[in-house]
Amino acid sequence: MKWGKLSNDLAFKDGLTNLYNHHYFQDFVDRELNRAIRYKKPLSLLILDLDHFKKINDKHGCPVGDIVLGKVSEAIKNTIRDCDVAGRYGGEKIAIVLPETDLKGAVIGAQRLKKAIEQLEIDTNSCRIDVTASVGVTCYHPTIDKMEKSEFLSEADNALHHSKNNGGNMICIHKNGYKSYQLTNKIK
């Protein structure tokens, strides 16, 4: 690996998850919102949070929690498209920007991510840990919506909180009110 590539990775990537860091993620959202407006294309956002992650850290210790977060991040990278960007949003929250993706496509992407996380077999030195995730979804379409970046981020984050407050392990959409989907629901 060349030094230039390594230094760029260190500047833009989170050391634990190897996903983009919060600063890079925020810049990417700015660029993609501007591109969505310019080309009149939809832009979707997913924010996911691992269910009961604090219990994992409390029961098994933070090093095991770090392993879990690393494995989940790897599953996310292997599940999203090359054009999508996943970044550490805070704590165990991970946000994924899906350029040129409408709401239906975003929910399908969220279902794939949720399923990939549920299917993980995370073995640590002491035990096997199974995890689930709650996901908040929103979509911005410049020909329909008028919103600022902060509203765009808030919609996905609020949908995530709605999902967690209603038992977790589900996908919730914030678009003209809340809609919750379990993994088995088909989107029409």
Side-chain angles (χ1 to χ4, degrees), residues 29-30 32 44 59 96 114 123 151-152 169 176 186:
V29 171
D30 286 332
E32 287 303 312
S44 291
K59 182 176 181 180
I96 301 103
K114 193 171 168 311
D123 291 311
E151 294 172 283
F152 182 59
N169 194 23
N176 302 323
K186 299 288 183 200

Side-chain angles (χ1 to χ4, degrees), residues 18 62 89 126 140 169 180:
N18 202 29
C62 290
Y89 196 66
S126 59
Y140 170 74
N169 194 23
S180 299

